[in-house]
Amino acid sequence: MDNNINMKRIVRLIGAGLAFIFLLVLLFGTFGKIDAGHRGVLLEFGAVSDEIKPEGLYIKVPFVQSVQRVDVRIQKEQVEASAASKDLQTVHSLIAVNYRVQPDRVNALWQKIGRDYKITIIDPTLQEVYKANTAKHSAEELIKQREAIREAILGDLKEKLAPYHIIVEAFNIVNFD
């Protein structure tokens, strides 16, 4: 009889312990934090919702919702690019673009492209726009009209990246060779 009572106590203690652990998981899985300069894309069962979590604390439904953080601060992408000028001279350059994600549209960016938007959209667009603008000018014009060409590339980058909710802040030709 004593063994039976002890067994019931052990089962009750194990049950209470499991309930306590479950409540802790629920409690800690309900709250989260978004750091300054970021936004949170709310996913419900993996689907992108319309709600964007701002900086600070947020509440979510555990096991149903998750939050993916997206950096909305100005970022720099610097790449080496090769192109042909109008007079068929090979031009090697180091180019840089400063951009940021539109904070109120991070969910649309996440839904269209996902986490790798820099590799998927920014890098190819940067190369394409640079090559297209370089091909319009001779090697001599590229050197003499550097500022005008930089402005043209900046305008084209803004236009091509805007549909993806990426704001281009600046473009620079760091080096021509």
Side-chain angles (χ1 to χ4, degrees):
M1 192 114 125
D2 267 342
N3 274 347
N4 209 7
I5 293 173
N6 285 337
M7 191 59 88
K8 287 181 181 180
R9 283 184 185 163
I10 291 173
V11 168
R12 255 192 247 138
L13 282 174
I14 291 174
L18 289 174
F20 180 73
I21 290 171
F22 180 75
L23 286 174
L24 280 178
V25 168
L26 263 177
L27 179 67
F28 288 112
T30 302
F31 299 99
K33 179 183 81 156
I34 302 291
D35 295 327
H38 293 75
R39 295 295 182 276
V41 176
L42 182 67
L43 304 175
E44 293 179 352
F45 293 112
V48 176
S49 77
D50 292 335
E51 186 178 351
I52 297 170
K53 298 293 185 182
E55 299 171 348
L57 291 176
Y58 64 85
I59 297 173
K60 67 178 179 71
V61 179
F63 310 112
V64 174
Q65 296 177 327
S66 63
V67 176
Q68 297 294 323
R69 289 162 184 78
V70 178
D71 193 342
V72 295
R73 298 173 293 185
I74 294 176
Q75 299 175 60
K76 176 184 173 184
E77 180 65 9
Q78 185 170 302
V79 296
E80 290 185 18
S82 293
S85 65
K86 187 167 126 179
D87 55 354
L88 301 178
Q89 298 293 317
T90 302
V91 180
H92 300 286
S93 299
L94 184 60
I95 54 178
V97 64
N98 290 353
Y99 67 92
R100 63 185 173 89
V101 175
Q102 192 175 339
D104 60 342
R105 300 297 292 157
V106 294
N107 57 347
L109 174 70
W110 190 269
Q111 192 167 31
K112 279 184 186 178
I113 301 163
R115 182 182 311 271
D116 297 327
Y117 60 90
K118 185 163 59 165
I119 295 166
T120 307
I121 296 299
I122 294 176
D123 290 346
T125 303
L126 185 56
Q127 293 281 348
E128 174 196 347
V129 169
Y130 174 75
K131 288 177 182 186
N133 278 277
T134 301
K136 295 177 186 176
H137 303 279
S138 68
E140 184 179 340
E141 290 170 342
L142 288 171
I143 294 168
K144 288 182 178 179
Q145 298 175 14
R146 183 176 178 150
E147 184 60 26
I149 294 165
R150 187 191 70 77
E151 286 294 325
I153 293 172
L154 176 61
D156 288 352
L157 280 172
K158 285 182 178 183
E159 181 182 324
K160 289 203 178 257
L161 292 175
Y164 300 103
H165 314 292
I166 297 170
I167 300 166
V168 177
E169 298 287 344
F171 172 80
N172 292 297
I173 302 169
V174 179
N175 190 21
F176 264 134
D177 185 21

